[in-house]
Amino acid sequence: MPAFWAAARAQLGEFRRDPGTLLMLVTAPFFAVILLSVTEHGGRPDLAPYALLAPAVMTSIGMAVMEAGETIFRDRSTGVLEALLTTPAPLAAVLSGRIAAITAVSLLGIAECWLVGALGFGIVVAVEHPLVFAATLLATAAGTAATGVVMAAVFVIGRNVRSFQNSLTFPLYLLGGAMVPVALLPAGFEAASRLFFLSWATDLLRDSLAPGPVAAFGPRLAAVLGLAAATFAAGFWIAHRLVRRVRRTGTVGFA
Amino acid sequence: MAPGPGRGDAEAMSITGFDAPAVDVRGRSRDFATARGGPPRRALDDFGLTVAAGEVHGLLGPNGAGKTTLCKILSTVLLPTAGTARVHGLDVVADAKRVRPLLGIVFGGERGLYARMTAAQNLRFWAALYGHRRREGRRRAAELLERVGLGPRADEPVETFSRGMKQRLHLARGLVGDPRVLVLDEPTVGMDPVSAHEFRGLVEDLRAEGRAVLLTTHDMAEAEALCDRVSFIDGGRLLRCEDPRVLGELLSRHERVRASGVPEALAERIAALPGVERVRSTGPGAVLVETGRGGAALPVLRTLVEAGVSDVSTAPPTLEEVYLHLIGERGMAVRP
Ligand SMILES: Nc1ncnc2c1ncn2[C@@H]1O[C@H](COP(=O)(O)OP(=O)(O)O)[C@@H](O)[C@H]1O
Ligand SMILES: [Mg+2]
């Protein structure tokens, strides 16, 4: 446990020392302005919740993927990862600590987007079902962190993987229904997206902002949590395998 | 190979626990795949050594000898291809989880630290990885920074440190888990002579505390000054394990004299002096005189100076020469 907290603190320190890592929190409000302008001037004020939720969710999952991969990449190229592997702390504890900090910070994007709506457009999107919203948000944070773990684990292997990370965020936005509900996507996409926790999560978040009743909340939340747990498990499994592999080939530190 | 102190006892007693040697490596090999599917490169070849608690054991070898490979295997970040390595009786592969809390590792160079964090933040982070809670981590960090002489710079970012200072921080990091066994991979590379001197004092303290220290180096003087025993490694093989006095004796016996502006006739006279093994020409008028007997350098120096040669210096033999003498003397042809 001390390892988890130490890693989280180290990550927060990194955000403070290098604000460039917070780039996505800078772009989120701009996205919100763009999308909200489109929905307002297109005469669809009913889509305002979509316009605000989209940049917030994209920021969260985007930061998890980019930063998680980045921290591991850095640890690896500076030789820190190798030193980490000599300590009794499980790599999973260190990874989770870092990613928990990243996810927590990324949730600030929600507040930013709501402020853009309120201050820039005078639109206050009410949360009609606060409990549903809060519960779903927590589950989403867990799933986002889990996605970060998977990404970080993948980054233990390769030196060229980094170039993928930016392009990888876009399919995730799409399959996660960040901007467009996956039900509106072509049939093949929807089927695939149902394996990704975020598609369930964004649907629930949008429903929690709408006045009507939320159908089948329990099962849908269970889907988010179940898929998040599966993603965590996959992430730790990959991390474990990769550590074994680098131990065998002797390339922990780009030797 | 001379048996390590306590090794026989350890075999008679249990194979786990603190009565076993601190480090016990046997028949260790490690191959690395090479590019384009060539034959694997053997970094360690049937290597063995033991280190007792309270012993400072030097691993002396040139670049590429396999020193770092052995350190990595001991510190569980690299799996061996064959053989066993035990730390206090625990296998570094099968019992890696139980080995890690017993070990502190200092890899040479600039790597393995968070450059933008302060020295204190770095140490607190690593203390947590050894399971220490926040308050204890703070206490240890402060204490170790004092110990390695970085107290006044504790709150400065590591990227502003000199190489020697980083090296000292590495040492503190290696000690933060209070290890029974400390593996130091070329710890004084980049240290100025004063720091290197202080480092020796620190290693002596570690020995007095009953820790086992495995120290790799290619600096023979350092090995001689610090170590209780010295293992010579080359090409992944253990050449011999010796008392460092043997090393000291070789160093003085094979002292070399370098001079320039030496006429050929004078060079011939020097070659005939007692104890001179060889006079090599290293350029026009420049010679390198190799001696093979303690004190033989003195008459060489006197002859040169009396003949009016002023550009004269002495130097210890190189690692390669010491190796050749070590192998040659006892007829141990290790390398083809
Ligand atoms: N990851 C690796 N892949 C391939 N060869 C390696 C790797 N690590 C070390 N080697 C090779 O193993 C040999 C021993 O290296 P090393 O243990 O680093 O030597 P030393 O520390 O004594 O200088 C060298 O020939 C080196 O090139
Ligand atoms: Mg080395």
Side-chain angles (χ1 to χ4, degrees), chain A residues 77-78 84 87 98 247-248, chain B residues 30 76 79 111-112 114:
Chain A
S77 54
T78 54
L84 266 173
T87 70
R98 278 199 177 268
R247 281 212 169 102
R248 214 168 41 241
Chain B
R30 169 73 209 199
T76 75
L79 295 176
R111 296 160 55 76
Y114 285 111

Side-chain angles (χ1 to χ4, degrees), chain B residues 177-224:
Chain B
D178 198 15
R180 310 271 317 145
V181 177
L182 203 62
V183 176
L184 306 173
D185 193 8
E186 310 222 9
T188 51
V189 169
M191 272 192 197
D192 56 76
V194 176
S195 307
H197 183 75
E198 286 170 6
F199 166 78
R200 287 182 188 181
L202 182 65
V203 170
E204 267 145 30
D205 292 347
L206 297 176
R207 167 172 37 208
E209 291 164 14
R211 298 178 214 267
V213 178
L214 179 69
L215 171 103
T216 84
T217 180
H218 57 248
D219 181 339
M220 289 177 290
E222 180 171 281
E224 189 206 343

Side-chain angles (χ1 to χ4, degrees), chain A residues 121-134:
Chain A
F121 294 79
I123 298 169
V124 178
V125 172
V127 179
E128 301 287 343
H129 306 277
L131 283 181
V132 173
F133 184 81

Side-chain angles (χ1 to χ4, degrees), chain A residues 9-23:
Chain A
R9 268 197 305 278
Q11 183 60 39
L12 292 178
E14 209 131 324
F15 283 136
R16 208 169 37 218
R17 279 185 300 270
D18 185 5
T21 51
L22 296 172
L23 189 69

Side-chain angles (χ1 to χ4, degrees), chain B:
Chain B
M1 178 179 48
R7 176 167 158 173
D9 297 349
E11 272 174 346
M13 287 190 263
S14 76
I15 50 158
T16 56
F18 289 89
D19 36 312
V23 177
D24 186 5
V25 180
R26 291 177 201 195
R28 223 35 169 161
S29 296
R30 169 73 209 199
D31 294 332
F32 286 110
T34 47
R36 281 175 265 108
R41 182 187 296 136
R42 180 148 285 196
L44 277 185
D45 192 1
D46 195 17
F47 189 86
L49 84 107
T50 60
V51 186
E55 177 186 347
V56 177
H57 193 111
L59 187 59
L60 185 62
N63 285 328
K67 304 183 295 295
T68 299
T69 302
L70 181 71
C71 292
K72 285 186 178 177
I73 288 175
L74 283 176
S75 59
T76 75
V77 294
L78 188 66
L79 295 176
T81 324
T84 62
R86 291 175 182 277
V87 172
H88 282 294
L90 299 165
D91 188 271
V92 297
V93 179
D95 290 314
K97 283 208 178 84
R98 290 162 69 202
V99 167
R100 282 178 206 136
L102 300 177
L103 268 180
I105 294 96
V106 176
F107 288 118
E110 313 237 338
R111 296 160 55 76
L113 294 168
Y114 285 111
R116 305 184 67 168
M117 289 208 240
T118 68
Q121 285 168 339
N122 263 286
L123 278 190
R124 283 184 226 137
F125 176 78
W126 292 102
L129 297 194
Y130 282 91
H132 297 300
R133 311 211 153 269
R134 232 174 146 182
R135 182 193 301 255
E136 173 67 6
R138 274 177 195 283
R139 194 187 65 74
R140 278 180 190 242
E143 184 188 302
L144 284 169
L145 286 168
E146 283 305 325
R147 190 165 181 186
V148 298
L150 286 176
R153 309 287 295 264
D155 295 318
E156 290 176 36
V158 172
E159 61 191 353
T160 66
F161 283 11
S162 72
R163 214 169 149 185
M165 289 166 71
K166 284 183 193 161
Q167 208 57 22
R168 287 193 251 169
L169 185 55
H170 270 299
L171 254 168
R173 192 186 70 74
L175 286 169
V176 83
D178 198 15
R180 310 271 317 145
V181 177
L182 203 62
V183 176
L184 306 173
D185 193 8
E186 310 222 9
T188 51
V189 169
M191 272 192 197
D192 56 76
V194 176
S195 307
H197 183 75
E198 286 170 6
F199 166 78
R200 287 182 188 181
L202 182 65
V203 170
E204 267 145 30
D205 292 347
L206 297 176
R207 167 172 37 208
E209 291 164 14
R211 298 178 214 267
V213 178
L214 179 69
L215 171 103
T216 84
T217 180
H218 57 248
D219 181 339
M220 289 177 290
E222 180 171 281
E224 189 206 343
L226 265 178
C227 301
D228 301 310
R229 287 191 303 153
V230 178
S231 286
F232 294 85
I233 179 176
D234 195 13
R237 283 164 163 261
L238 180 74
L239 299 190
R240 358 190 354 148
C241 183
E242 289 283 359
D243 187 305
R245 272 172 301 190
V246 173
L247 184 59
E249 200 217 316
L250 278 173
L251 286 179
S252 65
R253 185 172 350 140
H254 296 286
E255 201 170 22
R256 298 135 52 101
V257 179
R258 205 180 274 282
S260 62
V262 181
E264 207 154 309
L266 179 58
E268 275 166 25
R269 250 173 65 212
I270 286 170
L273 288 173
V276 170
E277 286 196 331
R278 203 147 64 114
V279 178
R280 279 195 286 161
S281 162
T282 55
V287 293
L288 178 66
V289 183
E290 295 174 10
T291 69
R293 206 166 77 190
L298 201 61
V300 174
L301 287 172
R302 195 177 299 130
T303 311
L304 282 166
V305 172
E306 278 168 3
V309 176
S310 59
D311 187 5
V312 184
S313 61
T314 63
T318 64
L319 189 54
E320 286 74 16
E321 284 167 335
V322 168
Y323 272 43
L324 286 178
H325 291 302
L326 270 173
I327 299 163
E329 266 169 23
R330 316 247 172 123
M332 233 174 69
V334 173
R335 279 187 297 183

Side-chain angles (χ1 to χ4, degrees), chain A:
Chain A
M1 222 39 199
F4 174 91
W5 291 113
R9 268 197 305 278
Q11 183 60 39
L12 292 178
E14 209 131 324
F15 283 136
R16 208 169 37 218
R17 279 185 300 270
D18 185 5
T21 51
L22 296 172
L23 189 69
M24 300 198 85
L25 284 179
V26 177
T27 52
F30 290 99
F31 259 115
V33 170
I34 294 168
L35 294 177
L36 213 47
S37 306
V38 172
T39 56
E40 288 301 297
H41 294 282
R44 292 292 304 273
D46 57 313
L47 289 182
Y50 286 51
L52 294 187
L53 207 53
V57 167
M58 283 161 66
T59 299
S60 207
I61 197 84
M63 270 180 74
V65 170
M66 302 282 284
E67 261 307 296
E70 195 64 28
T71 57
I72 279 285
F73 182 85
R74 234 177 299 153
D75 280 2
R76 202 183 152 174
S77 54
T78 54
V80 169
L81 182 65
E82 187 162 46
L84 266 173
L85 294 182
T86 71
T87 70
L91 184 62
V94 178
L95 278 185
S96 323
R98 278 199 177 268
I99 287 159
I102 294 170
T103 308
V105 169
S106 74
L107 290 178
L108 289 176
I110 298 181
E112 286 184 324
C113 293
W114 253 250
L115 276 177
V116 165
L119 303 179
F121 294 79
I123 298 169
V124 178
V125 172
V127 179
E128 301 287 343
H129 306 277
L131 283 181
V132 173
F133 184 81
T136 310
L137 198 61
L138 278 179
T140 309
T144 304
T147 311
V149 173
V150 170
M151 291 314 299
V154 168
F155 278 77
V156 182
I157 2 169
R159 24 195 117 177
N160 301 321
V161 193
R162 198 146 79 123
S163 41
F164 292 108
Q165 68 181 350
N166 191 27
S167 26
L168 202 73
T169 51
F170 287 86
L172 291 186
Y173 299 154
L174 182 77
L175 294 178
M179 206 179 295
V180 183
V182 292
L184 305 180
L185 296 177
F189 279 109
E190 191 190 347
S193 72
R194 287 305 173 196
L195 293 175
F196 185 30
F197 84 96
L198 193 58
S199 67
W200 300 87
T202 50
D203 282 350
L204 260 183
L205 286 172
R206 275 186 289 261
D207 283 1
S208 76
L209 301 175
V214 180
F217 170 61
R220 290 162 73 193
L221 185 67
V224 177
L225 287 172
L227 288 169
T231 312
F232 262 122
F236 290 137
W237 184 77
I238 302 175
H240 182 74
R241 302 275 317 191
L242 292 179
V243 166
R244 277 197 67 84
R245 200 181 105 176
V246 291
R247 281 212 169 102
R248 214 168 41 241
T249 58
T251 50
V252 177
F254 297 131

